[in-house]
Amino acid sequence: MLNLPRWQTIVIIAITVLSGVFALPNLLPAAVLDHLPSWYSQSRINLGLDLRGGAHFLLEADLRSVLTERLTNLGDSVRGELRKQQVGYKDVTVDHGRAVTVVLRDEAQRAKAIEAIRTVDPSLAVSGEGDTIHLAYADQDLFRRKKEVIEQSIEILRRRVDETGTIEPTIVRQGDERILLQVPGIKDTTDLKSKINQTAKLTFHLVNEDVAAAGPSAAVPPTTYMVPTREGMQDLRRTNPKAWEEIQAANPRMSPEQICRRYHPQCLPIFKRVIVGGEDLDDAKSTFEQQQGGRPIISFTFNAAGGRAFCAATRANVGKRLAIQLDNEIISAPVVQSAICGGSGIITGVFTTQQTQEQALLLRSGALPATLTIIEERTVGADLGADAIRDGTVAALVGTALVAIFMFVAYGPIFGGFANLAMLVNLLMVFAGMSILGASLTLPGIAGLVLTVGMAVDSNVLIYERVREEKALGPSAFSSLATGYERAMSAIIDANLTTLIAGVLLFGFGSGPIRGFATTLSLGLITSMFSSTIFTRMLLAVWVRWRRPTELVI
């Protein structure tokens, strides 16, 4: 058990040295790090919000608009199904975002109309009498949809914040309609807020050429709505700054139709039916167009389903305009020259390189299913964090010193010294692991480090006590050490594995500070298996070959 091949000794020493190398950037001053390669100098432990300050946001999701949009789509589907079943109706309207009301031409067709509506969505609650039918979603269905919207928003926010380079933000649900977002290390929140406020909802619609040809005063049918163009909004911002400020203040409560009706920017009538949506995007990236002087553009790629839908739509509408709508603005409305069946395309416009990079990031991370409004914002200073770091450092040093003293007293200078050296190696490996992963250290994470100090020598305690038992039975020193190590391993593995399971569950189901604690705890458990068994065994093997003891003093 103690006879280690030379290659194993070399590997153990190499791992220990590499741990020191990757932990070193956390101790070097900024002046030294500036002269080191970026991939190495950036491998550092990030401090959490409670230690270095940052941004705190409380966001509220506009779930009412999501329900209204869902009911509007339901109304369009009901119209199509009623026409398909030859059921005459006077009107199909959305009633204040709560229900869809269908008014029939002939009350005698009520049963046939309800049967047609059931084919659209069997879960709908149908009420009303005579020629009027009210359609609504069940409360259970609405609750499930709200939960899905919040969970999807949290995941998309996490992707957006992660792609900007911020490590381990805290993004958790609060209540039914709110999300808590905490981002450590952020001082200027302007860029972050712009990414929160943009829904990045990309959709493709056909332009209603009949309404467009009739002019601004033409009546808009129920299947069509007016949407401002990006050029129109830019002209409005330049010519009427007051109107622009009113629109920004009312966002997201003001719809595109209200903007067109009240402020009269350049608008286009488009069909409500979505040809292809942003949910079918596979990738989006910023690039440059080769033929037009290298102007910045956005290149996108559809998945298989989106590619087929886009191909079919462009093949059936050659010669018509296809409007590209992004966040309630039409950014382009090119004429379809031929079927586009390659599954990819580009978005052109008056963009800067930074704008195309930001838009590509938003499209790549996905569209927020609901607009998020910041209802609380504050910047957390690092003053409390400095106190926490100081107190945590004192606690860690005192805990380490007490554990080291106990090991010296309990197992003597040799075996206690080996255990204490393994404890320091364990801390070194934890710091190296957190640096490589780019993990954040929070105040609970410091508590996890203090706990790791005690657990680092726990395995050595099990081994040494087993060695003492073997020594009492009378075998030689070498045999006592070898047998003690061998028979203590099962208990060590069981103890560490059960605690590691708890750490993994904390990381999987927790968030923010809980994850910080779980990270340091789990890393400490994994590295302690190396330091307290493999590393200590190497030290003992070298010591036995060097001193060749005839009796153990333990």
Side-chain angles (χ1 to χ4, degrees):
M1 185 71 179
L2 293 179
N3 292 324
L4 292 179
R6 177 168 295 182
W7 69 267
Q8 288 188 14
T9 303
I10 294 173
V11 170
I12 294 170
I13 294 174
I15 292 175
T16 305
V17 171
L18 285 175
S19 298
V21 169
F22 282 102
L24 186 60
N26 297 286
L27 303 176
L28 296 177
V32 177
L33 291 174
D34 291 340
H35 294 85
L36 296 175
S38 59
W39 64 267
Y40 178 66
S41 60
Q42 293 176 0
S43 298
R44 305 178 67 190
I45 297 175
N46 298 284
L47 298 181
L49 186 72
D50 52 356
L51 296 182
R52 64 168 171 168
H56 171 103
F57 294 102
L58 187 60
L59 312 173
E60 187 172 58
D62 186 11
L63 297 179
R64 183 178 179 84
S65 297
V66 176
L67 177 59
T68 300
E69 181 180 359
R70 190 179 183 191
L71 289 173
T72 300
N73 294 335
L74 174 64
D76 292 340
S77 300
V78 168
R79 287 191 190 94
E81 191 63 30
L82 291 177
R83 285 195 295 267
K84 181 180 178 180
Q85 300 297 330
Q86 298 181 346
V87 176
Y89 61 91
K90 296 179 182 178
D91 199 7
V92 178
T93 58
V94 177
D95 181 19
H96 302 295
R98 293 193 300 268
V100 174
T101 301
V102 180
V103 181
L104 301 175
R105 294 186 183 278
D106 185 359
E107 183 180 341
Q109 288 190 304
R110 179 181 177 85
K112 187 176 181 181
I114 292 177
E115 183 180 352
I117 290 169
R118 291 294 188 194
T119 61
V120 175
D121 192 340
S123 66
L124 290 171
V126 180
S127 60
E129 57 185 16
D131 62 349
T132 303
I133 302 175
H134 298 292
L135 310 175
Y137 289 104
D139 292 340
Q140 183 178 1
D141 189 25
L142 290 177
F143 176 79
R144 179 180 56 80
R145 179 56 181 160
K146 288 180 179 180
K147 183 179 179 182
E148 290 174 352
V149 167
I150 296 297
E151 290 177 350
Q152 186 179 353
S153 298
I154 289 174
E155 181 58 31
I156 291 171
L157 278 175
R158 192 179 304 280
R159 276 189 245 152
R160 291 184 181 182
V161 173
D162 282 346
E163 284 210 36
T164 61
T166 306
I167 306 300
E168 282 196 16
T170 298
I171 310 177
V172 294
R173 177 177 179 174
Q174 284 205 340
D176 293 334
E177 301 181 359
R178 295 181 178 180
I179 298 172
L180 175 66
L181 170 63
Q182 292 181 334
V183 186
I186 293 282
K187 294 181 179 179
D188 184 5
T189 60
T190 304
D191 183 58
L192 181 62
K193 285 193 289 187
S194 68
K195 289 177 173 57
I196 294 173
N197 290 328
Q198 286 187 269
T199 55
K201 187 172 184 179
L202 179 71
T203 51
F204 293 80
H205 306 256
L206 286 171
V207 176
N208 191 327
E209 300 292 356
D210 295 335
V211 177
S217 59
V220 180
T223 57
T224 304
Y225 68 117
M226 304 295 293
V227 179
T229 64
R230 174 157 291 184
E231 291 79 6
M233 294 301 291
Q234 290 174 346
D235 290 341
L236 182 67
R237 182 178 186 178
R238 185 172 57 255
T239 59
N240 193 347
K242 184 178 179 180
W244 174 263
E245 291 176 1
E246 291 177 359
I247 293 172
Q248 295 302 305
N251 186 49
R253 294 182 296 275
M254 188 176 293
S255 67
E257 293 173 288
Q258 291 173 323
I259 294 174
C260 291
R261 189 166 54 249
R262 184 178 301 179
Y263 301 105
H264 308 290
Q266 181 188 18
C267 296
L268 274 180
I270 63 174
F271 288 102
K272 293 180 179 178
R273 179 174 173 266
V274 177
I275 301 297
V276 186
E279 64 275 9
D280 290 320
L281 277 180
D282 250 358
D283 190 21
K285 56 186 176 182
S286 173
T287 184
F288 297 92
E289 194 172 34
Q290 303 298 326
Q291 289 80 13
Q292 298 291 331
R295 62 175 177 172
I297 59 173
I298 301 170
S299 171
F300 61 88
T301 306
F302 289 118
N303 59 22
R308 287 194 297 268
F310 195 66
C311 177
T314 52
R315 180 184 289 119
N317 295 281
V318 174
K320 298 180 181 179
R321 283 185 291 175
L322 186 67
I324 305 173
Q325 182 180 352
L326 179 64
D327 281 345
N328 295 327
E329 286 183 1
I330 294 176
I331 59 177
S332 181
V335 176
V336 179
Q337 303 292 341
S338 60
I340 305 173
C341 298
S344 62
I346 61 172
I347 300 174
T348 61
V350 185
F351 298 125
T352 65
T353 302
Q354 182 179 357
Q355 286 174 332
T356 57
Q357 291 173 346
E358 291 176 352
Q359 294 291 354
L361 165 63
L362 295 173
L363 293 174
R364 192 164 57 246
S365 60
L368 286 169
T371 303
L372 300 178
T373 304
I374 300 174
I375 61 175
E376 180 186 341
E377 174 188 355
R378 66 175 184 264
T379 302
V380 181
D383 295 339
L384 293 176
D387 294 338
I389 293 173
R390 184 177 60 253
D391 295 343
T393 302
V394 171
L397 291 175
V398 171
T400 302
L402 291 176
V403 170
I405 293 171
F406 171 81
M407 293 303 292
F408 276 127
V409 172
Y411 299 107
I414 296 176
F415 291 93
F418 288 163
N420 290 332
L421 184 58
M423 176 181 64
L424 295 178
V425 170
N426 180 60
L427 284 174
L428 192 69
M429 295 184 70
V430 171
F431 279 113
M434 294 182 69
S435 300
I436 294 172
L437 296 175
S440 292
L441 180 63
T442 60
L443 192 57
I446 294 179
L449 282 176
V450 177
L451 179 61
T452 298
V453 169
M455 297 180 65
V457 297
D458 184 57
S459 298
N460 288 116
V461 171
L462 291 174
I463 292 170
Y464 292 165
E465 290 301 323
R466 188 67 190 184
V467 170
R468 280 179 173 175
E469 293 176 3
E470 294 298 325
K471 176 190 172 184
L473 296 177
S476 64
F478 184 87
S479 178
S480 298
L481 285 173
T483 307
Y485 260 92
E486 183 177 355
R487 295 185 177 178
M489 286 304 298
S490 60
I492 293 172
I493 293 174
D494 289 344
N496 284 275
L497 185 60
T498 52
T499 311
L500 183 61
I501 291 172
V504 171
L505 291 175
L506 283 174
F507 185 86
F509 293 100
S511 60
I514 297 176
R515 278 194 163 192
F517 175 80
T519 299
T520 54
L521 176 65
S522 301
L523 273 176
L525 287 169
I526 295 171
T527 56
S528 69
M529 287 293 292
F530 173 86
S531 62
S532 60
T533 57
I534 300 175
F535 180 78
T536 309
R537 189 181 64 175
M538 181 197 71
L539 294 178
L540 285 172
V542 173
W543 176 74
V544 167
R545 285 198 301 266
W546 174 48
R547 297 300 299 269
R548 298 188 180 277
T550 57
E551 184 178 355
L552 293 179
V553 180
I554 184 173

